[in-house]
Amino acid sequence: MVLPLTFYGNPVLREKGAPVESVTPELEDFIGNMFETMEEYRGIGLAAQQVGRAIQLTVIDIRAAENRPSTLEIDGETADPNSLMPLVLINPKVTPLNDPISGAEGCLSFPEIYGDVTRPEKVSVKAEGARGEPIEFVCGGLLARCVQHETDHLHGILFIDRMDRASKTDELREDLEFLQKETKAALE
Ligand code: ZN
């Protein structure tokens, strides 16, 4: 089932997600619905807050973004990033491993709004997977960017908060204001 997306201006996007204690059948259904929703809107990542639920859960699938490379290491060995997809991260903890670089980002909660965000290029990730099993990996490139963007969502942090100054044009500010007003009006 495709779930309705939440847009900038919806307070749930600013809520810190509650830790997920266990993967119940209900949560498994919800995870399936999150993947369906992400595919429908052609996203590469979707956080629970973006479908109205403030919990520590995000889904990622970067396979469609072939023009932006990713790297992956598991247990110190290089691995194919696609082998990890589709990826479910529950209660993720992200640690930066190298210097930040700037790169383009968008967000399903901000239709048609894009900007450059500076983030560490490589991170280590500890989380639980789709069945609650512990997972651990190191990733770089687009996957690292995506994991950080989604983990931010789980803490109520949005990509506009971290956007490079050069991307924060007057036009962007106007677009954000418009979107925020439109979202608030729709919630009333
Ligand atoms: Zn987003």
Side-chain angles (χ1 to χ4, degrees), residues 90-101:
I90 293 172
N91 307 323
K93 302 272 181 291
V94 175
T95 310
L97 295 179
N98 65 1
D99 292 337
I101 59 160

Side-chain angles (χ1 to χ4, degrees), residues 1-16:
M1 187 173 80
V2 174
L3 303 169
L5 290 173
T6 59
F7 298 105
Y8 179 54
N10 188 318
V12 73
L13 289 174
R14 288 300 188 188
E15 275 180 49
K16 187 174 162 61

Side-chain angles (χ1 to χ4, degrees), residues 43-64:
I44 58 168
L46 185 72
Q49 277 84 342
Q50 293 182 277
V51 285
R53 206 160 153 180
I55 57 173
Q56 296 284 323
L57 164 67
T58 178
V59 299
I60 289 172
D61 195 338
I62 55 154
R63 283 175 293 186

